[in-house]
Amino acid sequence: QVQLVESGGGLVQPGDSLRLSCTASGRTFSSDAMGWFRQAPAKGREFVATFEWISGSTYYADSVKGRFTISRGNAKNTVYLQMNSLKPEDTAVYYCAAKRGRFANAMALYEYWGQGTQVTVSS
């Protein structure tokens, strides 16, 4: 059974940084893609960033480009989301997701999801 577990969320002030982690178990994702999505209160879930294991390619939402970085850990079952220059509008529950094959920004293409970790940016 595939499980994705996120960690690293918390309460920070505007301008601060956080690093989220996603650890996968149950299968190896070395030929797949992993992504981060987020859902703010009273809003739909939206794409944040995605990473493709084979090519190392990444893709970001315009709203986080230049501030967030998705990367893999040394073990091929961990993905990080480094979030810098956080803004109040980044407040959301952040979800890790995984899919077979190429990376994508469409939520519906992702097969596996974590439970989410809360990120709150407030002064």
Side-chain angles (χ1 to χ4, degrees), residues 6 10 28 31 62 72 75 79 87 91 96 100-101 108 113 120:
E6 305 97 334
T28 300
S31 60
D62 288 343
R72 63 185 175 194
V79 172
K87 305 175 182 179
T91 295
C96 175
R100 304 171 198 267
W113 291 84
T120 303

Side-chain angles (χ1 to χ4, degrees), residues 13-123:
Q13 295 187 335
D16 285 353
S17 298
L18 270 180
R19 189 177 78 161
L20 305 183
S21 300
C22 173
T23 301
S25 62
R27 63 179 288 242
T28 300
F29 290 90
S30 58
S31 60
D32 300 324
M34 297 185 76
W36 286 96
F37 293 78
R38 67 186 181 185
Q39 187 164 13
K43 291 189 176 181
R45 196 170 297 188
E46 65 175 7
F47 166 75
V48 175
T50 183
F51 171 82
E52 189 174 275
W53 284 110
I54 286 183
S55 65
S57 299
T58 58
Y59 181 71
Y60 297 92
D62 288 343
S63 59
V64 306
K65 202 173 294 182
R67 299 188 298 124
F68 291 11
T69 302
I70 187 171
S71 63
R72 63 185 175 194
N74 290 331
K76 286 189 176 180
N77 65 339
T78 303
V79 172
Y80 301 107
L81 184 68
Q82 178 67 43
M83 305 186 294
N84 298 330
S85 302
L86 282 162
K87 305 175 182 179
E89 51 263 44
D90 294 318
T91 295
V93 177
Y94 283 71
Y95 297 90
C96 175
K99 66 178 295 294
R100 304 171 198 267
R102 301 295 305 278
F103 64 11
N105 63 355
M107 187 173 64
L109 296 177
Y110 284 79
E111 302 167 70
Y112 308 105
W113 291 84
Q115 293 300 305
T117 184
Q118 176 71 47
V119 172
T120 303
V121 185
S122 175
S123 55

